[in-house]
Amino acid sequence: MRMLKKFFLFVGFCTLVLFITNRLFFFSPGLLEQLSAKISYPFLTLANSVSNYIKHKTERKLHYNSLVVQNEELQQINEDLTAENVLLKALLQYDKQSKDLIDFQQRYELEDKIFAKILVKHIDASEHYFLINQGTRDGIKKDMVALYKFQIVGRISDVFDRYSKVTLITDQNCKIGAYATMTNALGIAQGSNNIHTLSLNYVSHLQNIEMDDLVLSNGQGLIFPEGFCLGKIIQHSLKEKALYHDVTIKPLIDLQSLKFCMIVDQTKINLF
């Protein structure tokens, strides 16, 4: 802008000098004026173009800056709305996933139940367990049972102050006395470190097995309560001269998708 001002001053000065010279030396009044006009016209046109260009660029810059500010404001509004939307979805999801468990608690009046959130899921070829957000300060004790509705999830195998470890029914070290509901075939359900299945072992060849039959815990032992589901029979076979059936059970729930569970003391369960 400073250079442009100097340019205008220079053109004006030259025009003034030509006009005065014309008057002092008595040249034809129109000759020098026309000559100065012809000389100065390209400069004036150029100056006008440059001025318009600079004005246009300035206006564009101001408009761009205004758009940048508006964009930043809209981005902030969008981020706020996104955060609010995520929060609402989380609350709806929490309500959706926890409502069934709360209804189950109220319906079956499980004593001293503890509602727990699953923090960590460890599922690999060597071990299956969850870490939950309840510990000794919340009343959790070793060998308490983790449930989801009528399905056994596992048992408390380790307890700490603020969290606990739940060994799942699919873990190879988990064994539960069980029976098939339609045939009363007895066996021991045991995990095989496959999150989708477990086995029903030691089912005598003298007993019958039905496909899709539900398998429930029989309450034998000091840990798992009676009458809770372990899954349904999806496969079975009996080899020639074998003493036991080969039975595969599939849990009714997807253990990998669980977000919550209930922890109960099997000695205080009042279902039957």
Side-chain angles (χ1 to χ4, degrees), residues 116-124 127-134 146-148 152-160 163-171 195 253-263:
K117 181 179 180 180
I118 299 169
L119 301 175
V120 175
K121 297 176 183 178
H122 180 91
I123 299 169
D124 62 20
E127 194 174 9
H128 288 193
Y129 66 82
F130 291 161
L131 296 182
I132 60 173
N133 68 335
Q134 305 288 357
L147 304 173
Y148 186 86
I152 294 178
V153 174
R155 71 176 182 90
I156 301 294
S157 54
D158 291 290
V159 186
F160 305 92
Y163 68 97
S164 301
K165 177 181 176 181
V166 178
T167 297
L168 304 184
I169 60 174
T170 53
D171 186 279
I195 195 63
I253 57 176
D254 182 3
L255 294 172
Q256 287 181 307
S257 67
L258 286 187
K259 299 294 187 298
F260 304 92
C261 63
M262 285 191 308
I263 309 300

Side-chain angles (χ1 to χ4, degrees), residues 18-33:
L18 289 173
F19 179 79
I20 294 173
T21 303
N22 178 45
R23 288 291 185 262
L24 290 175
F25 294 97
F26 305 102
F27 284 98
S28 173
L31 181 61
L32 284 179
E33 290 178 358

Side-chain angles (χ1 to χ4, degrees), residues 40-58:
S40 62
Y41 178 76
F43 295 100
L44 292 175
T45 303
L46 177 61
N48 182 63
S49 299
V50 171
S51 176
N52 288 337
Y53 176 77
I54 294 174
K55 181 179 179 182
H56 177 67
K57 292 291 288 186
T58 303

Side-chain angles (χ1 to χ4, degrees), residues 17-191:
V17 169
L18 289 173
F19 179 79
I20 294 173
T21 303
N22 178 45
R23 288 291 185 262
L24 290 175
F25 294 97
F26 305 102
F27 284 98
S28 173
L31 181 61
L32 284 179
E33 290 178 358
Q34 291 177 7
L35 180 60
S36 63
K38 288 181 180 180
I39 294 173
S40 62
Y41 178 76
F43 295 100
L44 292 175
T45 303
L46 177 61
N48 182 63
S49 299
V50 171
S51 176
N52 288 337
Y53 176 77
I54 294 174
K55 181 179 179 182
H56 177 67
K57 292 291 288 186
T58 303
E59 290 177 349
R60 285 192 61 183
K61 185 175 181 180
L62 292 174
H63 182 62
Y64 173 78
N65 292 336
S66 175
L67 289 177
V68 169
V69 172
Q70 291 180 16
N71 183 58
E72 291 176 351
E73 292 176 350
L74 290 175
Q75 283 184 342
Q76 185 61 47
I77 293 173
N78 181 62
E79 290 176 0
D80 293 341
L81 290 175
T82 300
E84 184 178 353
N85 187 41
V86 170
L87 175 61
L88 290 174
K89 285 186 176 181
L91 291 174
L92 287 173
Q93 187 71 5
Y94 181 91
D95 178 71
K96 178 181 178 181
Q97 294 177 343
S98 62
K99 187 176 185 302
D100 289 343
L101 279 180
I102 294 172
D103 290 343
F104 175 76
Q105 290 180 150
Q106 294 173 347
R107 179 179 177 185
Y108 293 99
E109 299 180 354
L110 298 179
E111 296 181 9
D112 299 324
K113 60 271 183 182
I114 300 173
F115 192 69
K117 181 179 180 180
I118 299 169
L119 301 175
V120 175
K121 297 176 183 178
H122 180 91
I123 299 169
D124 62 20
S126 62
E127 194 174 9
H128 288 193
Y129 66 82
F130 291 161
L131 296 182
I132 60 173
N133 68 335
Q134 305 288 357
T136 52
R137 66 172 187 168
D138 306 296
I140 301 293
K141 299 178 182 179
K142 189 174 181 179
D143 291 334
M144 292 180 77
V145 181
L147 304 173
Y148 186 86
K149 296 187 179 182
F150 266 117
Q151 175 84 39
I152 294 178
V153 174
R155 71 176 182 90
I156 301 294
S157 54
D158 291 290
V159 186
F160 305 92
D161 183 42
R162 296 177 179 271
Y163 68 97
S164 301
K165 177 181 176 181
V166 178
T167 297
L168 304 184
I169 60 174
T170 53
D171 186 279
Q172 63 182 358
N173 294 315
C174 185
K175 299 178 181 179
I176 306 171
Y179 67 97
T181 57
M182 289 192 290
T183 64
N184 287 322
L186 293 173
I188 297 177
Q190 181 177 1

